[in-house]
Amino acid sequence: MKKEISKSEVMQLLLQACPSYQKQWDAYVQDNYENGDEQLLYIDLADFATHFVDLYKKHELREFPAVFDVIELLHISGDDFVKEAASVGLLEDLQNRLLSNEINTNAFNQYLKQESLKWWNHLNDFWDGKTKYDGGPEK
């Protein structure tokens, strides 16, 4: 059986897919963590989401395919914590960043893969009051 992705691997995968985030990530870690601190994945993902939406606003999209491949991988191969963080953390942060910049959340639909798109739509439906949070979209 293939090993599941753990929370300690998530940010490294995103950095590999989005090298433009490395400098901001290094500064973020230096400002927010001491040696030996446990990193808080949901907070880390929020910082990444800010960078990623900034790339979109600047029309710098070359890293988008690789990042959305990682997001899909997290949904498919992550452990339970990672799968939830990929949706309730990263996807929701991306949607919130888009909306706060007055960008329709459909802007990322073309990049999302099958499983990620299901979660993306489920979050939109939840916030639109069309569904309650019940653990996610039907598989």
Side-chain angles (χ1 to χ4, degrees), residues 59-138:
H59 304 287
E60 295 178 11
L61 309 176
R62 68 186 175 284
E63 296 168 323
F64 271 49
V67 169
F68 282 100
D69 284 346
V70 169
I71 293 170
E72 185 74 1
L73 182 66
L74 298 177
H75 279 101
I76 293 171
S77 299
D79 63 24
D80 288 342
F81 182 88
V82 168
K83 287 178 181 179
E84 185 172 323
S87 295
V88 181
L90 184 53
L91 291 183
E92 192 169 27
D93 283 333
L94 288 170
Q95 288 180 349
N96 289 334
R97 297 301 183 281
L98 287 170
L99 291 170
S100 69
N101 285 279
E102 299 181 2
I103 302 168
N104 189 301
T105 60
N106 291 338
F108 284 178
N109 285 10
Q110 65 183 314
Y111 302 104
L112 290 156
K113 309 294 186 213
Q114 184 177 357
E115 188 66 21
S116 304
L117 182 59
K118 281 195 280 187
W119 282 97
W120 185 265
N121 290 334
H122 185 72
L123 289 167
N124 278 332
D125 288 346
F126 172 76
W127 289 113
D128 289 343
K130 296 177 184 174
T131 187
K132 61 182 174 122
Y133 184 78
D134 57 4
E138 295 297 320

Side-chain angles (χ1 to χ4, degrees), residues 2-39:
K2 194 172 184 180
K3 179 184 167 295
E4 293 180 328
I5 298 167
S6 68
K7 70 179 182 177
S8 65
E9 299 170 288
V10 171
M11 294 311 297
Q12 190 57 44
L13 288 169
L14 288 170
L15 285 163
Q16 289 170 0
C18 189
S20 66
Y21 180 59
Q22 186 69 59
K23 186 175 179 180
Q24 182 176 330
W25 170 251
D26 292 342
Y28 167 83
V29 169
Q30 184 175 358
D31 290 345
N32 291 283
Y33 294 108
E34 300 288 330
N35 276 344
D37 283 351
E38 179 182 351
Q39 289 186 241

